[in-house]
């Protein structure tokens, strides 16, 4: 039962990942692309966590934590750049 749930969730998050890539490539403006990039990170974290659950290892959880930290910082930096211009003054 757990294997089936992980497989279905992996398929759903993979589809969401691909849709975010499409939005990132075709976004009408920069704000849409930043939102797509932020959602892309979230989907990547979910996929990595599901792979960790499926393989019963904790190595993937540390990778997911690292990707979450980098994703948060990059999203904040991009949002500040779009709102105010240069990030580092």
């Amino acid at each position: 039962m757990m294997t089936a749930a992980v497989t279905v969730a992996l398929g759903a998050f993979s589809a969401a990942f691909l849709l975010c890539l499409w939005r990132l490539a075709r976004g009408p403006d920069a704000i849409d692309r930043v939102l797509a990039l932020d959602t892309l990170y979230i989907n990547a974290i979910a996929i990595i966590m599901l792979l960790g659950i499926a393989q019963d290892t904790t190595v993937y959880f540390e990778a997911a934590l690292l990707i979450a930290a980098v994703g948060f910082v990059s999203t904040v930096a991009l949002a500040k750049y779009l709102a105010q211009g240069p990030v580092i003054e």
Side-chain angles (χ1 to χ4, degrees):
M1 184 68 180
M2 184 71 170
T3 304
V6 169
T7 303
V8 169
L10 270 174
F13 279 110
S14 297
F17 189 87
L18 292 175
L19 289 172
C20 287
L21 279 177
W22 181 74
R23 175 54 67 189
L24 186 65
R26 287 194 47 116
D29 57 7
I31 294 176
D32 287 330
R33 289 188 171 113
V34 169
L35 286 173
L37 187 64
D38 189 42
T39 308
L40 197 68
Y41 282 120
I42 293 170
N43 287 326
I45 291 167
I47 289 170
I48 290 171
M49 295 292 283
L50 288 169
L51 286 175
I53 291 170
Q55 296 181 3
D56 197 24
T57 180
T58 59
V59 173
Y60 291 111
F61 298 132
E62 295 171 3
L65 184 63
L66 185 63
I67 290 173
V70 171
F72 174 74
V73 170
S74 67
T75 301
V76 169
L78 283 171
K80 185 176 178 184
Y81 176 75
L82 289 175
Q84 300 174 353
V87 176
I88 299 173
E89 298 172 6

